[in-house]
Amino acid sequence: QVRLVESGGGLVQAGGSLRLSCAASGLTFSSYSMAWFRRAGKEREFVAVITRNGRFDYVDSVKGRFTISRDNAQNTVYLQMNSLKPEDTAVYYCAADATVLAKRTATYNYWGQGTQVTVSN
């Protein structure tokens, strides 16, 4: 049974930082691409992805502020979020799939339950 558990969300002032973590179990973590999505409204939006080989990509709105990384020994993927803005407020989800650099929610088979990030003015 695959399980993804996010942590690290919270309330932060604009300009501040947070680091999200996603601990994975029940899958061969090193073989999967891991991604972060967020939902502020009805739909989930792609944020960042890192492949099993360490390639990565980001949505334009977070480039230069967010960094995705992974620790295969700990079966964990991280999202370091700096210079946070109120528009980053959302529920952040991690996801896993074997597809390389996928950005579509429909591609991902495994999802965490989400962690709330709130950025105040």
Side-chain angles (χ1 to χ4, degrees), residues 4-79:
L4 304 177
V5 180
E6 301 96 334
S7 61
L11 173 63
V12 64
Q13 288 189 331
S17 298
L18 283 173
R19 188 175 82 153
L20 305 184
S21 301
C22 172
S25 59
L27 75 169
T28 306
F29 182 79
S30 60
S31 297
Y32 280 75
S33 288
M34 300 297 298
W36 288 95
F37 289 77
R38 64 188 178 186
R39 185 181 68 197
K42 285 187 177 180
E43 296 184 357
R44 293 183 187 183
E45 170 195 34
F46 166 77
V47 176
V49 61
I50 185 166
T51 71
R52 60 186 179 183
N53 295 320
R55 294 171 60 197
F56 52 83
D57 200 2
Y58 301 92
V59 67
D60 286 346
S61 61
V62 308
K63 286 180 179 177
R65 300 189 297 122
F66 290 11
T67 302
I68 189 170
S69 61
R70 65 190 298 159
D71 183 339
N72 289 340
Q74 297 295 325
N75 287 1
T76 300
V77 61
Y78 303 98
L79 186 68

Side-chain angles (χ1 to χ4, degrees), residues 63-112:
K63 286 180 179 177
R65 300 189 297 122
F66 290 11
T67 302
I68 189 170
S69 61
R70 65 190 298 159
D71 183 339
N72 289 340
Q74 297 295 325
N75 287 1
T76 300
V77 61
Y78 303 98
L79 186 68
Q80 178 67 44
M81 305 186 296
N82 299 329
S83 302
L84 281 161
K85 303 175 181 180
E87 51 263 44
D88 294 318
T89 295
V91 179
Y92 283 72
Y93 300 87
C94 74
D97 195 78
T99 306
V100 177
L101 286 178
K103 301 181 183 180
R104 296 174 62 243
T105 56
T107 302
Y108 286 85
N109 290 315
Y110 305 114
W111 293 87

